[in-house]
Amino acid sequence: MSLDVHPQLLRALRAVLDTGSLTAASEQLGFTQSALSKQIAALETAAGTQLFRRGPRGVEPTEAGHRLAVRAAAILDQFDAAQRELDDLAAPLGGRVALGGFPTTAMALVPRTIARVRAEHPSVGIDFQESSTPVQIRRLRAGRLDLAILSSGEGLPDWDLTGVELERLPSGRLMVAVSRRHRLARAGRVGVAELADEAWIAGRGARGEPQFGAWPTVPHPSVVAELGDWSARLGFVAAGLGITTVPSLAADALPSGVVAVEVDDPGWEGRSMGLARIGALTPQAAAVRVALFQEARLIADRGGR
């Protein structure tokens, strides 16, 4: 049997696997649930096997579904890279730079970098893709990104960076975000013991994607909500429903009802931020790199405030 299918069917497969739900996947892709179900059924017919099973918590991939999804990710990356190369041929002199970053980089670092590049190099455009570190590494290898801002350190996997050049970006410390009405809001800085009895708002992402949760060294934290979007998490914090961890690079972008507080924790080694690339940079990508370092240094020097 030859598996000859439209790329959209592979995108449907990836969306269902990443979200764990036909409903969530259909919302992500912009299809009705019925249309998405038909796409999965068509892919199963072409593959000649069942790709998903329904379970109490949504749909779970079969072994065949999981294996096909791994291949689908690589195939879709190549499709996107090919489209980008064709787009670059028609781009004006100066060209475009594909930049990736994990979600909190989009709160201040990336938009400030884009604004700086736009002011200093008007002919250079930046296409920003927000995704987790493992997804960025995959896209970097597939040629879909020129530069990728990665996170590494305690509590995160040892990413496979074979063939990837990584420069450490200036970065501040991990902090906690609390409501302005919270007892710690005026403290500015607290010891980790002060966090022991707090309720936590944690992040929730696709399978395998690292998220900010409770403070890393708090034993048996009470997590009262897991939310996928930063605006939702911070909305819960502003309402006094719990507190959450945030990197200092996001402190400037917190809503008015939320305050960032530093934490003294000798048991926490911290995390770092790096700028990754493969091979030599084009002149426009080099300009973006310089702007990223400038903005990251400014944010780190003032502790995100």
Side-chain angles (χ1 to χ4, degrees):
M1 178 181 293
S2 175
L3 184 61
D4 184 9
V5 298
H6 192 281
Q8 176 53 43
L9 302 188
L10 299 181
R11 296 189 193 279
L13 171 68
R14 286 297 318 180
V16 175
L17 186 139
D18 288 342
T19 63
S21 145
L22 287 171
T23 301
S26 62
E27 292 175 354
Q28 181 184 98
L29 295 175
F31 291 101
T32 64
Q33 186 171 334
S34 173
L36 184 65
S37 296
K38 290 178 181 178
Q39 292 175 17
I40 295 298
L43 185 58
E44 289 181 326
T45 298
T49 187
Q50 185 178 5
L51 301 176
F52 290 98
R53 297 189 187 92
R54 290 191 176 273
R57 295 186 177 182
V59 291
E60 294 288 338
T62 63
E63 180 63 22
H66 179 74
R67 292 192 180 191
L68 181 58
V70 172
R71 296 290 185 182
I75 292 168
L76 293 171
D77 281 341
Q78 291 300 320
F79 269 112
D80 291 342
Q83 183 62 60
R84 183 169 166 252
E85 288 180 3
L86 293 176
D87 292 342
D88 284 346
L89 290 175
L93 185 63
R96 306 194 68 79
V97 176
L99 171 66
F102 50 92
T104 45
T105 64
M107 299 174 81
L109 176 59
V110 167
R112 291 178 184 178
T113 296
I114 293 175
R116 179 184 285 269
V117 171
R118 185 174 293 174
E120 297 177 356
H121 307 281
S123 62
V124 175
I126 299 177
D127 299 317
F128 176 61
Q129 299 180 36
E130 176 191 301
S131 58
S132 66
T133 289
V135 172
Q136 287 189 75
I137 295 172
R138 189 188 76 214
R139 289 175 174 172
L140 194 65
R141 288 202 169 100
R144 290 180 60 189
L145 294 177
D146 297 301
L147 297 166
I149 308 170
L150 311 181
S151 179
S152 61
E154 189 172 343
L156 294 176
D158 291 326
W159 311 119
D160 178 9
L161 297 178
T162 305
V164 176
E165 297 180 57
L166 186 67
E167 299 177 274
R168 185 163 181 168
L169 278 167
S171 56
R173 305 175 61 179
L174 192 64
M175 308 174 80
V176 291
V178 305
S179 166
R180 285 194 177 274
R181 301 186 301 275
H182 193 276
R183 63 183 181 86
L184 300 178
R186 297 180 181 275
R189 192 182 192 95
V190 299
V192 67
E194 291 281 348
L195 307 178
D197 297 323
E198 292 294 330
W200 293 90
I201 311 298
R204 182 183 65 209
R207 290 181 177 91
E209 292 189 358
Q211 295 288 320
F212 287 96
W215 188 264
T217 63
V218 171
H220 312 297
S222 172
V223 177
V224 296
E226 292 185 353
L227 303 167
D229 185 77
W230 268 107
S231 60
R233 278 179 251 175
L234 295 174
F236 272 54
V237 171
L241 301 178
I243 68 176
T244 194
T245 55
V246 293
S248 60
L249 65 87
D252 274 354
L254 295 178
S256 58
V258 177
V259 177
V261 180
E262 295 184 13
V263 179
D264 283 324
D265 185 358
W268 169 242
E269 294 182 4
R271 294 179 181 174
S272 61
M273 188 168 56
L275 184 62
R277 70 177 188 270
I278 295 177
L281 294 179
T282 62
Q284 58 265 32
V288 174
R289 172 192 170 277
V290 170
L292 269 168
F293 271 88
Q294 290 171 329
E295 290 300 331
R297 192 171 296 112
L298 287 173
I299 292 173
D301 285 348
R302 62 176 178 265
R305 288 184 289 276

